[in-house]
Coordinates of all heavy atoms in Angstrom, one line a residue:
V1 N -9.7 65.5 52.9 CA -9.4 65.7 54.3 C -10.3 66.9 54.8 O -10.4 67.9 54.1 CB -8.0 66.1 54.6 CG1 -7.8 66.5 56.0 CG2 -7.0 65.0 54.1
T2 N -11.0 66.6 55.9 CA -11.8 67.7 56.5 C -11.1 68.1 57.8 O -10.7 67.2 58.6 CB -13.2 67.2 56.8 OG1 -13.8 66.7 55.6 CG2 -14.1 68.2 57.4
K3 N -11.0 69.4 58.0 CA -10.4 69.8 59.3 C -11.2 70.9 59.9 O -11.6 71.8 59.3 CB -9.0 70.2 59.0 CG -8.2 70.5 60.3 CD -6.9 71.2 60.0 CE -6.3 71.5 61.4 NZ -5.2 72.5 61.2
H4 N -11.3 70.8 61.2 CA -11.9 71.8 62.0 C -10.9 72.9 62.1 O -9.8 72.7 62.6 CB -12.4 71.2 63.3 CG -12.4 72.2 64.4 ND1 -12.0 72.0 65.7 CD2 -13.0 73.5 64.5 CE1 -12.2 73.0 66.4 NE2 -12.8 73.9 65.7
V5 N -11.2 74.1 61.8 CA -10.2 75.2 61.8 C -10.5 76.3 62.8 O -9.6 77.0 63.3 CB -10.0 75.8 60.5 CG1 -9.3 74.9 59.6 CG2 -11.2 76.3 59.8
L6 N -11.7 76.5 63.2 CA -12.1 77.6 64.0 C -13.0 77.1 65.2 O -13.9 76.3 64.9 CB -12.8 78.7 63.2 CG -12.0 79.2 62.0 CD1 -12.9 80.0 61.1 CD2 -10.8 79.9 62.4
D7 N -12.8 77.7 66.3 CA -13.6 77.3 67.5 C -15.0 77.9 67.5 O -15.9 77.4 68.1 CB -12.9 77.6 68.8 CG -11.7 76.7 69.0 OD1 -11.8 75.6 68.5 OD2 -10.8 77.2 69.6
G8 N -15.2 79.0 66.7 CA -16.5 79.6 66.7 C -16.6 80.6 65.6 O -15.6 81.1 65.1
V9 N -17.8 80.8 65.1 CA -18.0 81.7 64.0 C -17.5 83.1 64.3 O -17.1 83.9 63.4 CB -19.4 81.7 63.5 CG1 -19.8 80.4 62.9 CG2 -20.4 82.1 64.6
D10 N -17.6 83.5 65.6 CA -17.2 84.9 66.0 C -15.8 85.1 65.8 O -15.3 86.3 65.8 CB -17.7 85.2 67.4 CG -19.2 85.2 67.5 OD1 -19.8 85.3 66.5 OD2 -19.7 85.0 68.6
V11 N -15.0 84.1 65.7 CA -13.5 84.2 65.6 C -13.2 85.0 64.3 O -12.3 85.8 64.3 CB -12.8 82.9 65.5 CG1 -11.3 83.0 65.2 CG2 -13.0 82.1 66.8
L12 N -14.0 84.8 63.3 CA -13.7 85.5 62.0 C -14.7 86.6 61.9 O -15.9 86.4 61.5 CB -13.8 84.6 60.9 CG -12.6 83.7 60.5 CD1 -12.9 82.9 59.3 CD2 -11.4 84.6 60.3
S13 N -14.3 87.8 62.1 CA -15.2 89.0 61.9 C -15.2 89.3 60.4 O -14.2 89.0 59.7 CB -14.8 90.2 62.7 OG -13.4 90.4 62.4
P14 N -16.2 89.9 59.9 CA -16.3 90.3 58.4 C -15.0 91.0 58.0 O -14.6 91.9 58.7 CB -17.5 91.1 58.3 CG -18.4 90.6 59.4 CD -17.5 90.3 60.5
G15 N -14.5 90.6 56.9 CA -13.3 91.3 56.4 C -12.0 90.7 56.9 O -10.9 91.2 56.5
S16 N -12.0 89.7 57.7 CA -10.8 89.2 58.3 C -10.3 88.0 57.5 O -11.0 87.3 56.8 CB -11.0 88.8 59.8 OG -11.9 87.8 59.9
L17 N -9.0 87.7 57.7 CA -8.3 86.6 57.1 C -7.6 85.8 58.1 O -7.0 86.4 59.1 CB -7.3 87.0 56.0 CG -7.9 87.9 54.8 CD1 -6.7 88.5 54.0 CD2 -8.7 87.0 53.9
Q18 N -7.5 84.5 58.0 CA -6.8 83.7 59.0 C -6.1 82.5 58.3 O -6.7 81.8 57.5 CB -7.8 83.2 60.1 CG -7.1 82.4 61.2 CD -8.1 81.9 62.2 OE1 -8.9 82.7 62.7 NE2 -8.1 80.6 62.5
Y19 N -4.8 82.3 58.7 CA -4.1 81.2 58.2 C -4.4 80.0 58.9 O -4.4 80.0 60.1 CB -2.6 81.5 58.2 CG -1.7 80.4 57.7 CD1 -1.5 80.2 56.4 CD2 -1.2 79.4 58.6 CE1 -0.7 79.2 55.9 CE2 -0.5 78.4 58.2 CZ -0.2 78.2 56.8 OH 0.5 77.2 56.4
T20 N -4.5 78.9 58.2 CA -4.5 77.6 58.9 C -3.9 76.5 57.9 O -3.6 76.9 56.8 CB -6.0 77.1 59.2 OG1 -6.0 76.0 60.0 CG2 -6.8 76.8 57.9
E21 N -3.6 75.4 58.4 CA -3.0 74.3 57.6 C -3.9 73.1 57.7 O -4.3 72.7 58.7 CB -1.6 74.0 58.2 CG -0.6 73.8 57.1 CD 0.8 73.7 57.7 OE1 1.4 74.7 57.9 OE2 1.3 72.5 57.9
V22 N -4.2 72.5 56.5 CA -5.0 71.3 56.5 C -4.2 70.3 55.7 O -3.9 70.5 54.5 CB -6.3 71.6 55.7 CG1 -7.1 70.3 55.7 CG2 -7.1 72.7 56.4
D23 N -3.7 69.3 56.4 CA -2.9 68.2 55.7 C -1.7 68.7 55.0 O -1.5 68.3 53.8 CB -3.9 67.4 54.8 CG -3.6 65.9 54.9 OD1 -3.2 65.5 56.0 OD2 -3.8 65.2 53.9
G24 N -1.0 69.7 55.5 CA 0.2 70.2 54.9 C -0.1 71.3 53.9 O 0.9 71.8 53.3
V25 N -1.3 71.6 53.7 CA -1.7 72.6 52.7 C -2.0 73.9 53.4 O -2.9 73.9 54.3 CB -2.8 72.2 51.8 CG1 -3.2 73.3 50.8 CG2 -2.5 70.9 51.0
G26 N -1.4 75.0 53.2 CA -1.7 76.3 53.8 C -3.0 76.8 53.2 O -3.2 76.8 52.0
V27 N -3.9 77.2 54.1 CA -5.2 77.7 53.6 C -5.5 79.0 54.3 O -5.2 79.2 55.5 CB -6.3 76.7 54.0 CG1 -7.7 77.2 53.5 CG2 -6.0 75.3 53.4
C28 N -6.0 80.0 53.5 CA -6.4 81.3 54.0 C -7.9 81.2 54.1 O -8.6 81.1 53.1 CB -5.9 82.3 53.0 SG -6.7 84.0 53.3
V29 N -8.4 81.3 55.4 CA -9.8 81.3 55.6 C -10.3 82.7 56.0 O -9.6 83.4 56.7 CB -10.1 80.3 56.8 CG1 -11.7 80.2 57.0 CG2 -9.6 78.9 56.5
G30 N -11.4 83.1 55.5 CA -11.9 84.4 55.8 C -13.4 84.5 55.7 O -14.1 83.6 55.4
R31 N -13.8 85.7 56.0 CA -15.2 86.0 55.9 C -15.4 87.4 55.2 O -14.7 88.4 55.5 CB -15.8 86.1 57.3 CG -17.3 86.3 57.4 CD -17.7 86.5 58.8 NE -17.8 85.3 59.7 CZ -18.7 84.4 59.6 NH1 -19.7 84.5 58.8 NH2 -18.7 83.4 60.4
T32 N -16.2 87.4 54.2 CA -16.4 88.6 53.4 C -17.3 89.6 54.2 O -17.9 89.2 55.2 CB -17.1 88.4 52.1 OG1 -18.4 87.9 52.3 CG2 -16.4 87.4 51.2
A33 N -17.3 90.8 53.8 CA -18.1 91.8 54.5 C -19.5 91.4 54.5 O -20.3 91.8 55.4 CB -17.9 93.2 53.8
S34 N -20.0 90.7 53.5 CA -21.4 90.2 53.5 C -21.6 89.0 54.3 O -22.7 88.5 54.4 CB -21.9 90.1 52.1 OG -21.0 89.3 51.3
G35 N -20.5 88.5 55.0 CA -20.7 87.4 55.9 C -20.4 86.0 55.4 O -20.5 85.0 56.2
D36 N -20.0 85.9 54.1 CA -19.8 84.6 53.6 C -18.4 84.1 54.0 O -17.4 84.8 53.8 CB -19.9 84.6 52.1 CG -21.3 84.9 51.6 OD1 -22.2 84.6 52.3 OD2 -21.4 85.5 50.5
L37 N -18.3 82.8 54.4 CA -17.0 82.2 54.7 C -16.4 81.7 53.4 O -17.1 81.3 52.5 CB -17.2 81.0 55.6 CG -17.4 81.2 57.1 CD1 -17.7 79.9 57.8 CD2 -16.1 81.9 57.7
F38 N -15.1 81.7 53.4 CA -14.4 81.2 52.2 C -13.1 80.6 52.6 O -12.6 80.9 53.7 CB -14.2 82.2 51.1 CG -13.3 83.3 51.6 CD1 -11.9 83.2 51.4 CD2 -13.8 84.5 52.1 CE1 -11.1 84.2 51.9 CE2 -13.0 85.5 52.5 CZ -11.6 85.4 52.4
A39 N -12.5 79.7 51.8 CA -11.2 79.1 52.0 C -10.5 79.1 50.7 O -11.0 78.5 49.7 CB -11.3 77.7 52.6
I40 N -9.3 79.7 50.7 CA -8.5 79.8 49.4 C -7.1 79.4 49.8 O -6.6 79.7 50.9 CB -8.6 81.2 48.8 CG1 -8.0 81.3 47.4 CG2 -8.0 82.3 49.7 CD1 -8.4 82.6 46.7
E41 N -6.4 78.8 48.8 CA -5.0 78.4 49.0 C -4.2 79.6 49.5 O -4.3 80.7 49.0 CB -4.5 78.0 47.6 CG -3.1 77.5 47.5 CD -2.8 77.0 46.1 OE1 -3.5 77.4 45.2 OE2 -1.8 76.3 46.0
D42 N -3.4 79.4 50.6 CA -2.7 80.5 51.1 C -1.6 81.0 50.3 O -1.3 82.2 50.2 CB -2.2 80.2 52.5 CG -1.5 81.4 53.2 OD1 -2.2 82.3 53.5 OD2 -0.3 81.3 53.4
E43 N -0.9 80.1 49.6 CA 0.3 80.4 48.8 C -0.1 81.1 47.5 O -0.8 80.4 46.6 CB 1.1 79.2 48.6 CG 2.4 79.5 47.9 CD 3.3 78.2 47.7 OE1 3.8 77.7 48.7 OE2 3.4 77.7 46.6
C44 N 0.3 82.3 47.3 CA 0.0 83.0 46.1 C 0.6 82.3 44.9 O 1.8 81.9 44.9 CB 0.5 84.4 46.1 SG 0.2 85.4 44.6
P45 N -0.2 82.0 43.8 CA 0.3 81.3 42.7 C 1.4 82.0 41.9 O 2.0 81.5 41.0 CB -0.9 81.0 41.8 CG -2.1 81.4 42.6 CD -1.6 82.3 43.7
H46 N 1.5 83.3 42.2 CA 2.5 84.1 41.5 C 3.9 83.8 42.0 O 4.7 83.2 41.4 CB 2.2 85.6 41.6 CG 3.2 86.5 40.9 ND1 3.8 87.5 41.5 CD2 3.6 86.5 39.6 CE1 4.6 88.1 40.5 NE2 4.5 87.5 39.4
E47 N 4.2 84.3 43.3 CA 5.6 84.0 43.8 C 5.5 83.6 45.3 O 6.4 84.0 46.1 CB 6.5 85.2 43.6 CG 7.0 85.3 42.2 CD 8.0 86.4 42.0 OE1 8.5 87.0 42.9 OE2 8.3 86.7 40.8
A48 N 4.4 82.9 45.6 CA 4.3 82.2 46.9 C 4.2 83.1 48.2 O 4.5 82.6 49.2 CB 5.5 81.2 47.0
A49 N 3.8 84.3 48.0 CA 3.5 85.1 49.3 C 2.3 84.5 50.0 O 1.5 83.7 49.4 CB 3.3 86.5 48.9
S50 N 2.1 84.8 51.2 CA 1.0 84.3 52.0 C -0.2 85.3 51.8 O -0.2 86.4 52.3 CB 1.4 84.2 53.5 OG 0.3 83.9 54.2
L51 N -1.3 84.7 51.2 CA -2.4 85.6 51.0 C -3.1 86.0 52.4 O -3.8 87.0 52.4 CB -3.4 84.8 50.1 CG -3.0 84.6 48.7 CD1 -4.1 83.9 47.9 CD2 -2.6 85.9 48.0
S52 N -2.9 85.2 53.4 CA -3.4 85.5 54.7 C -2.9 86.8 55.2 O -3.5 87.5 56.1 CB -3.1 84.4 55.8 OG -3.6 83.2 55.3
D53 N -1.7 87.2 54.7 CA -1.1 88.5 55.1 C -1.6 89.6 54.2 O -1.1 90.8 54.4 CB 0.4 88.4 55.0 CG 1.0 87.5 56.1 OD1 0.4 87.3 57.1 OD2 2.1 86.9 55.8
G54 N -2.4 89.3 53.3 CA -2.9 90.3 52.4 C -4.2 91.0 52.9 O -4.4 91.0 54.1
E55 N -4.9 91.5 52.0 CA -6.1 92.3 52.4 C -7.3 91.9 51.6 O -7.2 91.5 50.5 CB -5.8 93.8 52.1 CG -6.7 94.8 52.9 CD -6.3 96.2 52.5 OE1 -5.2 96.5 52.2 OE2 -7.2 97.0 52.6
L56 N -8.4 91.8 52.4 CA -9.7 91.4 51.7 C -10.4 92.7 51.2 O -10.7 93.6 52.0 CB -10.5 90.7 52.7 CG -11.8 90.0 52.1 CD1 -11.5 89.0 51.1 CD2 -12.6 89.4 53.3
I57 N -10.7 92.7 49.9 CA -11.3 93.9 49.4 C -12.6 93.4 48.7 O -12.5 92.8 47.6 CB -10.4 94.7 48.4 CG1 -9.1 95.1 49.2 CG2 -11.1 95.9 47.8 CD1 -8.0 95.5 48.3
G58 N -13.7 93.6 49.2 CA -14.9 93.0 48.7 C -14.8 91.5 48.7 O -14.5 90.9 49.7
D59 N -15.0 90.9 47.5 CA -14.9 89.5 47.4 C -13.5 89.1 46.8 O -13.4 88.0 46.2 CB -16.0 88.9 46.4 CG -17.4 89.0 47.1 OD1 -17.4 89.1 48.3 OD2 -18.4 89.1 46.4
E60 N -12.6 90.0 46.9 CA -11.2 89.7 46.4 C -10.2 89.8 47.5 O -10.3 90.7 48.3 CB -10.9 90.6 45.2 CG -11.9 90.6 44.1 CD -11.6 91.6 43.0 OE1 -10.7 92.4 43.2 OE2 -12.4 91.7 42.1
V61 N -9.2 88.9 47.4 CA -8.1 89.0 48.4 C -6.9 89.5 47.6 O -6.6 89.1 46.4 CB -7.7 87.6 49.0 CG1 -7.3 86.5 48.1 CG2 -6.6 87.8 50.1
E62 N -6.2 90.5 48.1 CA -5.1 91.1 47.5 C -3.8 90.6 48.1 O -3.6 90.7 49.3 CB -5.2 92.7 47.6 CG -4.1 93.4 46.8 CD -4.1 94.9 47.0 OE1 -3.7 95.4 48.0 OE2 -4.7 95.5 46.1
C63 N -2.9 90.1 47.2 CA -1.6 89.6 47.7 C -0.8 90.7 48.2 O -0.7 91.8 47.6 CB -0.9 88.9 46.5 SG 0.7 88.3 47.0
P64 N -0.1 90.5 49.4 CA 0.7 91.6 50.0 C 2.0 91.9 49.2 O 2.5 93.0 49.4 CB 1.0 91.0 51.4 CG 1.0 89.5 51.2 CD -0.1 89.3 50.2
L65 N 2.4 91.0 48.3 CA 3.7 91.2 47.7 C 3.6 92.0 46.4 O 4.3 93.1 46.3 CB 4.3 89.9 47.4 CG 5.8 89.9 47.2 CD1 6.6 90.6 48.3 CD2 6.4 88.4 47.0
H66 N 2.8 91.6 45.4 CA 2.7 92.4 44.2 C 1.3 92.8 43.8 O 1.0 93.1 42.7 CB 3.3 91.5 43.0 CG 4.6 91.0 43.3 ND1 4.9 89.6 43.4 CD2 5.8 91.6 43.5 CE1 6.2 89.4 43.7 NE2 6.8 90.6 43.7
A67 N 0.4 92.6 44.8 CA -1.0 93.1 44.7 C -1.9 92.4 43.6 O -2.8 93.0 43.1 CB -1.0 94.6 44.5
S68 N -1.5 91.2 43.3 CA -2.5 90.4 42.5 C -3.7 90.3 43.3 O -3.7 90.2 44.5 CB -2.0 89.0 42.2 OG -1.0 89.1 41.1
R69 N -4.9 90.2 42.6 CA -6.1 89.9 43.3 C -6.8 88.7 42.8 O -6.8 88.4 41.6 CB -7.1 91.1 43.1 CG -6.7 92.3 43.9 CD -7.8 93.3 44.0 NE -7.4 94.6 44.4 CZ -8.3 95.6 44.6 NH1 -9.6 95.4 44.4 NH2 -7.9 96.7 45.0
F70 N -7.4 87.9 43.8 CA -8.1 86.7 43.4 C -9.5 86.7 44.0 O -9.7 87.2 45.1 CB -7.3 85.5 44.1 CG -5.9 85.4 43.7 CD1 -4.9 86.0 44.4 CD2 -5.5 84.7 42.5 CE1 -3.6 86.0 44.0 CE2 -4.2 84.6 42.1 CZ -3.2 85.3 42.9
D71 N -10.4 86.2 43.2 CA -11.8 86.1 43.7 C -11.8 85.0 44.7 O -11.4 83.8 44.5 CB -12.7 85.6 42.5 CG -14.1 85.6 42.8 OD1 -14.5 85.0 43.9 OD2 -15.0 86.1 42.1
V72 N -12.2 85.3 45.9 CA -12.2 84.3 47.0 C -13.1 83.1 46.9 O -13.0 82.1 47.5 CB -12.4 85.0 48.4 CG1 -11.3 86.0 48.7 CG2 -13.8 85.6 48.5
R73 N -14.1 83.3 46.0 CA -15.1 82.2 45.8 C -14.6 81.2 44.8 O -14.9 80.0 44.8 CB -16.5 82.7 45.4 CG -17.1 83.6 46.6 CD -18.1 84.5 46.0 NE -17.5 85.3 44.9 CZ -18.1 86.3 44.3 NH1 -19.3 86.6 44.6 NH2 -17.5 87.0 43.4
T74 N -13.9 81.7 43.7 CA -13.5 80.9 42.6 C -12.0 80.7 42.5 O -11.5 79.8 41.8 CB -14.1 81.4 41.3 OG1 -13.4 82.7 41.1 CG2 -15.6 81.6 41.4
G75 N -11.2 81.6 43.1 CA -9.8 81.6 42.9 C -9.3 82.3 41.6 O -8.1 82.5 41.4
E76 N -10.3 82.7 40.8 CA -9.9 83.4 39.6 C -9.1 84.7 39.8 O -9.3 85.4 40.7 CB -11.3 83.9 39.0 CG -11.4 84.1 37.5 CD -12.8 84.4 37.1 OE1 -13.7 83.6 37.4 OE2 -13.0 85.5 36.6
V77 N -8.1 84.9 38.8 CA -7.3 86.1 38.9 C -8.1 87.3 38.5 O -8.7 87.3 37.4 CB -6.1 85.9 38.0 CG1 -5.2 87.2 38.0 CG2 -5.2 84.8 38.3
R78 N -8.1 88.3 39.3 CA -8.9 89.5 39.0 C -7.9 90.7 38.7 O -8.4 91.7 38.2 CB -9.8 89.9 40.2 CG -11.0 89.0 40.3 CD -12.0 89.2 39.2 NE -13.1 88.4 39.2 CZ -14.1 88.5 40.0 NH1 -14.1 89.5 40.9 NH2 -15.1 87.7 40.0
C79 N -6.7 90.5 39.1 CA -5.7 91.6 38.9 C -4.3 91.0 38.7 O -3.9 90.2 39.5 CB -5.8 92.6 40.0 SG -4.7 94.0 39.8
L80 N -3.6 91.4 37.7 CA -2.2 90.9 37.4 C -1.3 91.4 38.5 O -1.7 92.3 39.2 CB -1.8 91.4 36.0 CG -2.6 90.9 34.9 CD1 -2.1 91.5 33.6 CD2 -2.6 89.3 34.8
P81 N -0.1 90.9 38.7 CA 0.7 90.1 37.7 C 0.4 88.5 37.7 O 0.9 87.9 36.8 CB 2.1 90.3 38.1 CG 2.0 90.5 39.6 CD 0.8 91.3 39.8
A82 N -0.3 88.0 38.7 CA -0.6 86.6 38.7 C -1.4 86.2 37.5 O -2.2 87.0 37.0 CB -1.3 86.1 40.0
R83 N -1.1 85.0 36.9 CA -1.9 84.6 35.7 C -2.6 83.3 36.0 O -3.6 82.9 35.4 CB -1.0 84.4 34.5 CG -0.5 85.7 34.0 CD 0.4 85.6 32.8 NE 0.9 86.9 32.5 CZ 0.3 87.8 31.7 NH1 -1.0 87.5 31.3 NH2 0.8 89.0 31.4
V84 N -2.1 82.5 37.0 CA -2.6 81.2 37.4 C -3.6 81.4 38.5 O -3.3 82.1 39.5 CB -1.5 80.3 37.8 CG1 -2.0 78.9 38.2 CG2 -0.5 80.1 36.7
P85 N -4.8 80.9 38.5 CA -5.7 81.0 39.6 C -5.3 80.3 40.8 O -4.5 79.4 40.8 CB -7.0 80.4 39.0 CG -6.6 79.6 37.8 CD -5.3 80.1 37.3
A86 N -5.8 80.7 42.0 CA -5.6 80.0 43.2 C -6.6 79.0 43.4 O -7.8 79.1 43.0 CB -5.6 81.1 44.4
R87 N -6.3 77.9 44.1 CA -7.3 76.9 44.4 C -8.2 77.4 45.6 O -7.7 78.1 46.5 CB -6.6 75.6 44.9 CG -5.9 74.8 43.8 CD -5.5 73.5 44.3 NE -4.4 73.6 45.3 CZ -4.0 72.6 46.1 NH1 -4.6 71.5 46.1 NH2 -3.1 72.8 47.0
T88 N -9.4 77.0 45.5 CA -10.3 77.3 46.6 C -10.9 76.0 47.1 O -10.8 75.0 46.5 CB -11.5 78.2 46.1 OG1 -12.2 77.6 45.0 CG2 -11.0 79.6 45.7
F89 N -11.4 76.0 48.4 CA -11.8 74.8 49.0 C -13.2 75.1 49.7 O -13.5 76.2 50.1 CB -10.8 74.4 50.1 CG -9.4 74.4 49.7 CD1 -8.5 75.4 50.0 CD2 -9.0 73.3 48.9 CE1 -7.2 75.4 49.6 CE2 -7.6 73.3 48.5 CZ -6.8 74.3 48.8
P90 N -14.0 74.0 49.7 CA -15.3 74.2 50.3 C -15.1 74.4 51.9 O -14.3 73.8 52.5 CB -16.0 72.8 50.1 CG -15.2 72.1 49.1 CD -13.8 72.7 49.2
V91 N -15.9 75.3 52.4 CA -15.9 75.5 53.8 C -17.3 75.6 54.3 O -18.1 76.2 53.6 CB -15.0 76.8 54.2 CG1 -15.6 78.0 53.5 CG2 -15.0 77.0 55.7
E92 N -17.6 75.0 55.4 CA -19.0 75.0 55.9 C -19.0 75.2 57.4 O -18.1 74.8 58.1 CB -19.8 73.8 55.4 CG -19.2 72.5 55.9 CD -20.0 71.3 55.5 OE1 -21.3 71.5 55.3 OE2 -19.5 70.2 55.3
L93 N -20.1 75.7 57.9 CA -20.3 75.8 59.3 C -21.2 74.6 59.8 O -22.2 74.3 59.2 CB -21.0 77.1 59.6 CG -20.2 78.4 59.5 CD1 -21.1 79.6 59.8 CD2 -19.1 78.3 60.6
V94 N -20.7 73.9 60.8 CA -21.5 72.9 61.4 C -21.5 73.2 62.9 O -20.5 73.2 63.6 CB -20.8 71.5 61.2 CG1 -21.6 70.4 61.8 CG2 -20.6 71.2 59.7
D95 N -22.7 73.4 63.4 CA -22.9 73.8 64.8 C -22.0 74.9 65.2 O -21.4 74.9 66.3 CB -22.8 72.6 65.7 CG -23.8 71.5 65.4 OD1 -24.9 71.9 64.9 OD2 -23.5 70.3 65.6
G96 N -21.9 75.9 64.4 CA -21.1 77.1 64.7 C -19.6 76.9 64.6 O -18.8 77.7 65.0
V97 N -19.2 75.8 64.0 CA -17.7 75.5 63.9 C -17.4 75.4 62.4 O -18.2 74.8 61.6 CB -17.3 74.2 64.6 CG1 -15.9 73.8 64.3 CG2 -17.5 74.3 66.1
A98 N -16.4 76.1 61.9 CA -16.0 76.0 60.5 C -15.2 74.8 60.2 O -14.2 74.5 60.9 CB -15.3 77.3 60.1
W99 N -15.5 74.2 59.0 CA -14.7 73.0 58.6 C -14.3 73.3 57.1 O -15.1 73.8 56.3 CB -15.5 71.8 58.6 CG -15.9 71.3 59.9 CD1 -16.9 71.9 60.7 CD2 -15.4 70.2 60.7 NE1 -17.0 71.2 61.9 CE2 -16.1 70.2 61.9 CE3 -14.4 69.3 60.4 CZ2 -15.8 69.2 62.9 CZ3 -14.1 68.3 61.4 CH2 -14.8 68.3 62.6
V100 N -13.0 73.0 56.8 CA -12.5 73.2 55.5 C -12.2 71.8 54.9 O -11.7 70.9 55.5 CB -11.2 74.0 55.5 CG1 -10.6 74.1 54.1 CG2 -11.4 75.4 56.1
N101 N -12.6 71.6 53.6 CA -12.3 70.4 52.9 C -11.2 70.6 51.9 O -11.4 71.4 51.0 CB -13.6 69.8 52.2 CG -14.6 69.5 53.2 OD1 -14.5 68.5 53.9 ND2 -15.7 70.2 53.2
V102 N -10.1 69.9 52.1 CA -9.0 70.1 51.2 C -8.8 68.8 50.4 O -8.8 67.7 50.9 CB -7.7 70.4 51.9 CG1 -6.4 70.3 51.0 CG2 -7.7 71.8 52.5
Ligands
FES201 S1 3.5 86.8 45.1 FE1 1.4 87.4 45.0 S2 1.3 88.7 43.4 FE2 3.4 88.2 43.4

């Protein structure tokens, strides 16, 4: 499924996170400080907190509940207590509009 999630690239400033839903799947979309867009599963694989409510630190998103960190490009766990990686999704800009593939 491909879904248009943002009306313009300016909506996401560097360092920001935004929740969206694609086909029933919660997705956390964001932009790193270096300007790269990413899309990662919103539900933390540890105990289901919303990663969109967390904080982006470099290329890692920190869960607001127990501070696990995940690499936003690969979903890899960078900091415990989570042990299971988060899913990530391709996101691309088409004519200034972001699309997420779930
Ligand atoms: S719910 Fe995210 S680290 Fe526990």
Side-chain angles (χ1 to χ4, degrees):
V1 174
T2 301
K3 189 191 174 196
H4 155 223
V5 290
L6 306 166
D7 289 329
V9 292
D10 293 341
V11 173
L12 276 184
S13 53
S16 65
L17 301 169
Q18 182 178 309
Y19 176 84
T20 190
E21 217 172 278
V22 182
D23 222 29
V25 178
V27 180
C28 167
V29 182
R31 187 187 283 283
T32 64
S34 49
D36 296 329
L37 279 176
F38 64 85
I40 188 167
E41 184 177 14
D42 184 66
E43 187 177 285
C44 179
H46 182 235
E47 284 183 11
S50 173
L51 294 180
S52 302
D53 292 333
E55 202 178 330
L56 187 62
I57 301 162
D59 290 336
E60 300 174 1
V61 61
E62 184 179 82
C63 178
L65 199 52
H66 309 114
S68 282
R69 287 196 193 183
F70 303 90
D71 185 312
V72 295
R73 295 157 305 183
T74 64
E76 204 176 302
V77 177
R78 287 290 178 77
C79 184
L80 300 177
R83 293 181 182 278
V84 178
R87 286 189 295 166
T88 54
F89 310 103
V91 55
E92 59 176 334
L93 284 176
V94 181
D95 296 333
V97 173
W99 295 74
V100 175
N101 295 291
V102 169

